[in-house]
Amino acid sequence: MYDVMAIGNALVDHEYMLSDAALEDTDLIKGQMTLADLNEQQKLLAFFKLADIAPSKQAGGGSAANAMYVFASLGGRPFYACRVGDDKPGQFYLQDLHEAGVATSEQSIHTGGVTGSCVVAVTEDGERTMQTYLGTSSEITEANVDFEALTQADWLYLEGYLAMSEGIQPAMTKLRQQAGINGAKIAVSFADPAVVQFAKDGLLNMLGNKVEIIFCNSEEAKAFTDKKQVKAAARALLEYCQIAVVTDGANDTIIAEGSGSQSNEQTDILIHEVPTPTVVDVIDTNGAGDNYSGAFLYALSQHYSLPECGRLAGEISAQVIQQFGPRLGSQDYKDIAKRVLTV
């Protein structure tokens, strides 16, 4: 029934445009995600209001949700597990996904819970910096996961941010085990440098003995592997996966492919270098990596070659960062795929 089942933090994004100077007046680290409690987020919002910085956009967010939105818009059949409150933001969040074709379950709704929110600060260079209040998403557990959906899926997609949540780790282990029993392949997105820095043990639990794909950027790859060069880091990631997809900003994406089995031995390694489309005006990088992994996974599920998957993902990400917000219109995704992918 489903091409992929994904699990991630459910967050409603509130985006702000601001200067580097204004960002420096906050406690946020540019380019990274910082977890916050409700009081800390309210303090940040009060600062924005005092500085006369108004929100520019509200949108459904969350790393895995963004990826599944892309997957569905391209024509795939995704299922998404999460945890939202039965409040208005939670209703908005799920309705937004349903309209795009992303299936969810009633198990994702927690009565009396407060839906998580993410303040996305976008500076003039297009870099996104985030402060996340997880709300009820911080308490996501096995009870919020419809394990039956995975028995009907070809892929399991795990969002790296969940590595920071201790409560979900037993469910992660159970999902990996069930994927193995049912023959579903696993894809893991590292999601953010802060995840590698502060929650590497959680990531290792997601990866288990080995997964099919790891999605990450060059900063995350180098931090995870302790390698200084992107290609060396991509190769080193093959200890944990069959395919390592490492984006590197405007530089070529490196796709490392191992021919070994699910053991730790790699007999041969094939490196694909996929050119990144030139972008003159970067407006907002929020969601770029999510769009990349969602598009790549969709193309792979349709049996396109790894370079073709990379080309589609690169074109879609390039388009996303030229607009404000983490998602394109559903038809825009289809138009790009029609132009990029060969029949």
Side-chain angles (χ1 to χ4, degrees), residues 248-272:
D248 190 21
N251 300 317
D252 292 354
T253 291
I254 303 301
I255 304 174
E257 178 185 7
S259 63
S261 65
Q262 287 293 93
S263 69
N264 287 328
E265 295 182 3
Q266 294 289 346
T267 55
D268 294 298
I269 295 175
L270 184 61
I271 299 292
H272 305 277

Side-chain angles (χ1 to χ4, degrees), residues 8-32:
N9 282 319
L11 304 168
V12 175
D13 285 353
H14 303 274
E15 300 206 348
Y16 293 78
M17 289 288 292
L18 68 163
S19 65
D20 278 311
L23 183 64
E24 289 175 3
D25 287 336
T26 70
D27 294 327
L28 304 180
I29 301 173
K30 185 172 181 178
Q32 291 194 15

Side-chain angles (χ1 to χ4, degrees), residues 3-272:
D3 297 308
V4 57
M5 175 187 177
I7 180 170
N9 282 319
L11 304 168
V12 175
D13 285 353
H14 303 274
E15 300 206 348
Y16 293 78
M17 289 288 292
L18 68 163
S19 65
D20 278 311
L23 183 64
E24 289 175 3
D25 287 336
T26 70
D27 294 327
L28 304 180
I29 301 173
K30 185 172 181 178
Q32 291 194 15
M33 186 279 294
T34 302
L35 289 177
D37 59 28
L38 183 57
N39 288 334
E40 289 170 329
Q41 188 160 95
Q42 289 177 337
K43 181 180 178 181
L44 179 64
L45 294 176
F47 166 75
F48 284 163
K49 185 175 182 179
L50 187 63
D52 201 26
I53 302 171
S56 301
K57 189 173 185 178
Q58 173 181 283
S63 180
N66 286 338
M68 293 305 100
Y69 182 94
V70 177
F71 196 98
S73 296
L74 287 167
R77 299 166 299 173
F79 179 94
Y80 178 61
C82 62
R83 181 177 169 115
V84 298
D86 58 347
D87 50 10
K88 287 185 177 179
Q91 294 169 11
F92 163 80
Y93 185 85
L94 294 181
Q95 183 63 30
D96 192 44
L97 291 175
H98 294 163
E99 290 177 356
V102 180
T104 63
S105 166
E106 291 291 327
Q107 291 175 235
S108 292
I109 303 173
H110 178 64
T111 303
V114 177
T115 300
S117 59
C118 180
V119 175
V120 184
V122 182
T123 42
E124 295 162 353
D125 58 357
E127 182 63 85
R128 102 288 186 267
T129 302
M130 300 182 292
Q131 187 206 61
T132 300
Y133 166 58
L134 291 173
T136 193
S137 188
S138 67
E139 300 173 358
I140 185 171
T141 65
E142 291 185 38
N144 303 115
V145 180
D146 185 349
F147 289 93
E148 179 63 25
L150 183 56
T151 67
Q152 307 172 58
D154 298 322
W155 284 89
L156 171 64
Y157 182 91
L158 303 177
E159 170 192 308
Y161 287 121
L162 288 178
M164 294 178 157
S165 174
E166 292 185 11
I168 197 60
Q169 297 313 310
M172 288 292 181
T173 301
K174 187 174 178 179
L175 283 167
R176 283 194 296 99
Q177 293 170 342
Q178 187 170 322
I181 293 171
N182 296 320
K185 297 179 180 179
I186 302 175
V188 174
S189 169
F190 282 1
D192 193 281
V195 174
V196 178
Q197 182 179 357
F198 299 113
K200 189 171 182 178
D201 287 345
L203 281 180
L204 290 171
N205 183 48
M206 286 186 185
L207 297 172
N209 293 328
K210 194 171 245 189
V211 298
E212 185 70 14
I213 304 178
I214 289 175
F215 293 106
C216 60
N217 63 31
S218 57
E219 183 180 353
E220 294 155 1
K222 288 186 277 190
F224 188 86
T225 62
D226 291 323
K227 301 293 184 182
K228 294 183 179 180
Q229 301 299 322
V230 179
K231 286 185 182 179
R235 288 174 180 269
L237 284 172
L238 293 179
E239 178 183 346
Y240 307 93
C241 63
Q242 292 293 108
I243 302 167
V245 182
V246 185
T247 58
D248 190 21
N251 300 317
D252 292 354
T253 291
I254 303 301
I255 304 174
E257 178 185 7
S259 63
S261 65
Q262 287 293 93
S263 69
N264 287 328
E265 295 182 3
Q266 294 289 346
T267 55
D268 294 298
I269 295 175
L270 184 61
I271 299 292
H272 305 277

